[in-house]
Amino acid sequence: MQSENTCTTNIILVGPMGAGKSTLGRLLARALKRPFYDSDQVIEDRCGAGIPWIFDLEGEEGFRQRETQILEELTHQQGIVLATGGGAVLRPENREKLRAGGLVIFLRTTVEQQLARTRKSTHRPLLQTANPRQRLEAMRLEREPLYEETAHLTINTDQRPPRQVVMDIKKQLLEHLDN
């Protein structure tokens, strides 16, 4: 096996909003000495506008088209850590790209943890609703089976410090890549 620093397998993080994909992705990339990409951030950088604005102007479908294009590009790189948006798994072609593009890790969290982590965010268009809990529960029912279908590994992030989760991911990566 190649060492964890020279391995060219991409590490792709999927999961719901508030699972810690961006935070953990940055920490993991730093620990593994790999480039880090957040697909939502790449979309914003390319558009010169925030995701809420893209949703307002183009709707969710327009955003999802942009997301598919970015995932196509990013999954063809080698040796990166990629944090995806929570809805990246909604399209079958994205699930295929992600699974073929690297080792996919589903970061699982509860709705309670999502609410705690996102309650002050104004940057999440799908939570701009009278009942964010109900929205998160509905998204969980729709998306969790898709995360599970796409992922090679699952890591629980609830009530755990980010550095502890990163250590767990590194351990599981070594075990998985050794097989």
Side-chain angles (χ1 to χ4, degrees), residues 90-151:
L90 291 172
R91 289 183 165 189
E93 64 266 34
N94 289 353
R95 293 192 301 274
E96 290 172 22
K97 281 178 185 48
L98 294 171
R99 235 180 122 70
L103 182 71
V104 181
I105 302 172
F106 168 28
L107 299 178
R108 177 177 276 139
T109 192
T110 61
V111 169
E112 289 72 27
Q113 192 74 61
Q114 287 180 271
L115 285 167
R117 291 177 179 163
T118 62
R119 72 178 178 271
K120 294 180 183 175
S121 176
T122 58
H123 197 68
R124 300 177 189 269
L126 294 175
L127 289 186
Q128 303 311 308
T129 177
N131 191 339
R133 175 182 290 279
Q134 185 177 34
R135 173 69 57 89
L136 288 171
E137 287 171 352
M139 290 191 313
R140 179 185 200 82
L141 285 174
E142 176 186 22
R143 296 177 180 186
E144 189 154 310
L146 302 176
Y147 297 135
E148 290 172 349
E149 169 192 325
T150 308

Side-chain angles (χ1 to χ4, degrees), residues 37-130:
Y37 294 92
D38 179 315
S39 62
D40 285 349
Q41 187 63 55
V42 173
I43 292 168
E44 287 183 338
D45 292 347
R46 298 266 175 93
C47 292
I51 289 172
W53 185 85
I54 297 168
F55 264 72
D56 285 346
L57 191 65
E58 300 178 356
E60 185 173 356
E61 180 59 28
F63 172 77
R64 296 291 170 213
Q65 288 174 336
R66 290 179 183 276
E67 181 177 58
T68 296
Q69 292 168 343
I70 293 300
L71 291 176
E72 172 73 26
E73 178 184 320
L74 292 174
T75 56
H76 279 90
Q77 295 196 35
Q78 291 189 334
I80 67 168
V81 174
L82 171 61
T84 63
V89 296
L90 291 172
R91 289 183 165 189
E93 64 266 34
N94 289 353
R95 293 192 301 274
E96 290 172 22
K97 281 178 185 48
L98 294 171
R99 235 180 122 70
L103 182 71
V104 181
I105 302 172
F106 168 28
L107 299 178
R108 177 177 276 139
T109 192
T110 61
V111 169
E112 289 72 27
Q113 192 74 61
Q114 287 180 271
L115 285 167
R117 291 177 179 163
T118 62
R119 72 178 178 271
K120 294 180 183 175
S121 176
T122 58
H123 197 68
R124 300 177 189 269
L126 294 175
L127 289 186
Q128 303 311 308
T129 177

Side-chain angles (χ1 to χ4, degrees), residues 159-172:
Q159 305 296 322
R160 298 176 65 203
R163 294 199 187 286
Q164 182 184 7
V165 176
V166 168
M167 287 174 40
D168 190 20
I169 291 171
K170 285 176 63 178
K171 180 181 176 218
Q172 288 203 33

